[in-house]
Structure formats: C-alpha cells, structure tokens
Amino acid sequence: MSLQMKLVAITLDCPDPPALAAFYQQATGLEPHPKSDADFAGLNGEHGLFIGFQRVDDYRAPKWPGQTVPQQLHICFEVDGDLAEAEARLLELGAGRPDHQPHGDRARVLTDPVGHPFCIVAR
C-alpha cells in the first residue's frame, strides 16, 4: 500500500502575521481565515490549501540568493496575463525584486514584504 499525502497548509514565519496575510490576500484574492489574530493569521486557499502566517520574535528575513540567512521556503505562483504587469502590481503591494533573476523571461523572483522569496510564472 502506497502512502498518499495531500498538502493542506503552508505556514510562514514573520514579525506581523496580519500585515503579511493582508499582502498575500491582496496578491491572491484568497479569503482571510475568520480566526486570524495578531499571533497567527491565515488565508483559505483553493482546494483546501491553507496559507498561515505565524509571529516570530526577533524574525530575521532570508537573504536570497545568499545563505547568510537561508530562504528555508520558496513558493511559486502562476499568474494570469502579462508577467510584467503582475510583477508591477506585486511591487505596488509591497513586494521586493532582488537583482538576481535566474529564470530569464520565464519567471520572476520577488520577495514578500518580510523577505520570503517567491516566484511568479505566466500561466
């Protein structure tokens, strides 16, 4: 009998869970979890996937692509439409754009407002 697992949650460490949840909510359109609070906030995703944000005292942002503070997690999102337009919208919401872009025109590496790297790729 083979083991089957379904991914149901991803949780990111951060200094301010409601603020980081708001960034991802604006970027994805996912619904905020009704029991979110200052220590743990969440978004209800498609097909039951939950994205959580937990408060960590003395949070240190990853330094991508360097390893002084490893990234520890990397999320990729497909986006509808033009990749440059999606990137511009995410930058308006508070994302950052590292100089190191290893994927050429196929994808963009961005960072959320507290430094977690993530990619966007055209659908």
Side-chain angles (χ1 to χ4, degrees):
M1 173 183 255
S2 66
L3 175 65
Q4 287 193 323
M5 299 191 316
K6 177 183 176 186
L7 181 64
V8 295
I10 296 170
T11 300
L12 302 174
D13 291 350
C14 63
D16 184 346
L20 193 56
F23 167 80
Y24 280 102
Q25 193 276 325
Q26 291 174 12
T28 64
L30 298 177
E31 292 296 319
H33 190 277
K35 294 185 179 179
S36 294
D37 61 32
D39 290 320
F40 189 89
L43 299 174
N44 295 317
E46 296 178 27
H47 310 293
L49 180 63
F50 178 84
I51 303 174
F53 310 92
Q54 64 187 3
R55 179 177 304 282
V56 171
D57 293 331
D58 301 321
Y59 172 79
R60 293 175 51 209
K63 302 296 183 202
W64 189 86
Q67 295 297 305
T68 54
V69 181
Q71 65 180 341
Q72 301 173 15
L73 176 74
H74 190 106
I75 303 172
C76 293
F77 295 94
E78 284 186 338
V79 296
D80 290 327
D82 184 70
L83 202 55
E85 289 176 14
E87 176 184 0
R89 174 68 177 132
L90 290 163
L91 293 172
E92 287 175 9
L93 293 174
R97 186 181 196 277
D99 292 335
H100 183 65
Q101 294 292 320
H103 305 299
D105 293 334
R106 297 185 327 267
R108 301 283 195 290
V109 178
L110 301 174
T111 56
D112 70 22
V114 299
H116 300 109
F118 65 94
C119 283
I120 56 172
V121 297
R123 191 176 303 250

